[in-house]
Amino acid sequence: MADLYSVRDALRTLGVTDGDILLFHSSLKSFGYIEGGADAVIDGALLAVGDRGTLVAPTLVQRDFANAYKNWDKNRTPSDVGRITEVFRKRPEALRSDQATHSVAAIGPMAKFLTEGHTAYGPRPSIYGDYAFAESSPWQKMYDLGGKVVFMGATIESNTYRHFIEARMIARALAAVRDEGAKRELLSRLAGFDDRPEYFREAAEKEKNGTPMRLAFPYLRGDDYLREVLASAGLEKDTFCGASRFMLFEIRAMVDEVERRIAENPSDWILSPEGLRWYTDALAAGA
């Protein structure tokens, strides 16, 4: 049977130490039974990072995604990426960033720095909005500060950092394009937030009958291939806490490794032919 102390001990086994910035993706049901429920998972993780550390949870909007920007309220919109994240968000000491689709909540000495100014500067084109993974976002700050990410019973598919990588690779590719006309043309082809439901419907149709898509987006795979790559590079640490499997990665090392692999062979990573074509066209325009 798991409890808060076994959560702490599992995280310490993975190398979490006092003072760490630790982002968690989680599945409460993966534990089977844990004494104290979601609060025990949170308290155990807080013990692992210590008084000098900061614990961070994704508080994303997923279920009503099409209306995320219309209905967003930082203080009232729930996190719908797991029970633990919503319990975490509601803690009185938790601070939340102000961005409609990919906010985070944080507790600890770095919470204010991580969550403030999510949309302050450095927009990056993304299918989730230009500021979800901006240069000022918590996702960039955790990367810069050497944070860690743990998957507590969650699969690698929940790795939000693959979307951070998408936004960075798009921004880099566009920044290298000097011809403004070519840049505008590339942007006009790129699917954005308002196109997201249509884009994925069209992608599904294309799989069925080969119809061309109106828009493109270099959407990266986040399946077991990602985990295999990270494990083969020696970047994954894993252990069990009760019935829940924990996997831990250092954020900067993970992002840098995936970006290096994409640069070597983007066709291994970009899911749709249209997205791959957009990306290779962008690179060619900036060459």
Side-chain angles (χ1 to χ4, degrees):
M1 181 181 72
D3 60 14
L4 68 95
Y5 298 108
S6 55
V7 172
R8 175 201 62 190
D9 294 345
L11 291 173
R12 288 286 173 88
T13 297
L14 293 177
V16 175
T17 61
D18 185 56
D20 275 348
I21 295 172
L22 180 67
L23 169 71
F24 69 87
H25 294 279
S26 56
S27 166
L28 184 58
K29 68 180 180 181
S30 73
F31 288 88
Y33 175 78
I34 179 166
E35 184 178 353
D39 282 304
V41 178
I42 295 165
D43 290 336
L46 287 169
L47 286 175
V49 300
D51 291 340
R52 297 187 302 113
T54 300
L55 187 63
V56 186
T59 52
L60 281 52
V61 172
Q62 300 282 281
R63 295 182 190 130
D64 191 28
F65 206 88
N67 297 308
Y69 283 96
K70 188 189 307 180
N71 297 331
W72 171 250
D73 184 314
K74 182 177 80 166
N75 298 315
R76 292 190 295 178
T77 301
S79 167
D80 54 24
V81 284
R83 170 70 178 160
I84 299 170
T85 66
E86 177 63 357
V87 172
F88 186 87
R89 178 191 76 84
K90 287 183 172 180
R91 288 206 170 190
E93 67 272 34
L95 301 178
R96 190 184 196 183
S97 68
D98 194 1
Q99 198 279 328
T101 64
H102 284 75
S103 67
V104 305
I107 295 173
M110 296 297 290
K112 184 175 186 296
F113 173 75
L114 289 172
T115 58
E116 67 184 358
H118 191 140
T119 63
Y121 61 86
R124 291 169 170 149
S126 165
I127 209 162
Y128 304 103
D130 287 353
Y131 285 90
F133 301 104
E135 293 176 29
S136 58
S137 71
W139 307 98
Q140 181 68 50
K141 292 172 184 175
M142 287 186 282
Y143 171 90
D144 291 339
L145 292 170
K148 298 172 181 176
V149 56
V150 63
F151 298 83
M152 299 191 288
T155 65
I156 198 73
E157 283 89 346
S158 62
N159 185 12
T160 309
Y161 266 97
R162 80 176 187 272
H163 303 311
F164 172 79
I165 294 168
E166 289 164 3
R168 277 164 53 107
M169 62 187 269
I170 292 168
R172 279 200 204 101
L174 289 171
V177 179
R178 302 298 181 189
D179 183 275
E180 290 301 317
K183 186 177 293 187
R184 285 193 298 271
E185 190 272 336
L186 285 164
L187 281 168
S188 73
R189 289 167 51 194
L190 192 66
F193 178 82
D194 291 337
D195 306 297
R196 186 176 185 269
E198 181 181 351
Y199 172 77
F200 287 110
R201 279 196 300 271
E202 289 186 18
E205 284 301 312
K206 185 185 182 303
E207 289 296 318
K208 291 179 186 176
N209 56 34
T211 54
M213 288 177 61
R214 181 175 61 86
L215 296 167
F217 188 80
Y219 197 77
L220 298 178
R221 62 190 302 173
D223 53 14
D224 283 339
Y225 179 78
L226 171 61
R227 186 174 169 226
E228 291 167 7
V229 165
L230 296 173
S232 70
L235 300 180
E236 177 192 319
K237 298 178 181 178
D238 69 298
T239 191
F240 279 88
C241 179
S244 182
R245 184 173 191 171
F246 284 17
M247 299 180 291
L248 183 134
F249 305 91
E250 294 187 7
I251 291 170
R252 181 186 287 272
M254 174 181 67
V255 169
D256 289 355
E257 179 66 16
V258 174
E259 290 185 338
R260 182 182 71 79
R261 302 259 187 158
I262 292 169
E264 289 176 353
N265 196 349
S267 62
D268 279 353
W269 292 89
I270 298 175
L271 288 171
S272 75
E274 290 75 16
L276 180 60
R277 191 174 303 115
W278 184 93
Y279 185 60
T280 54
D281 286 352
L283 292 181

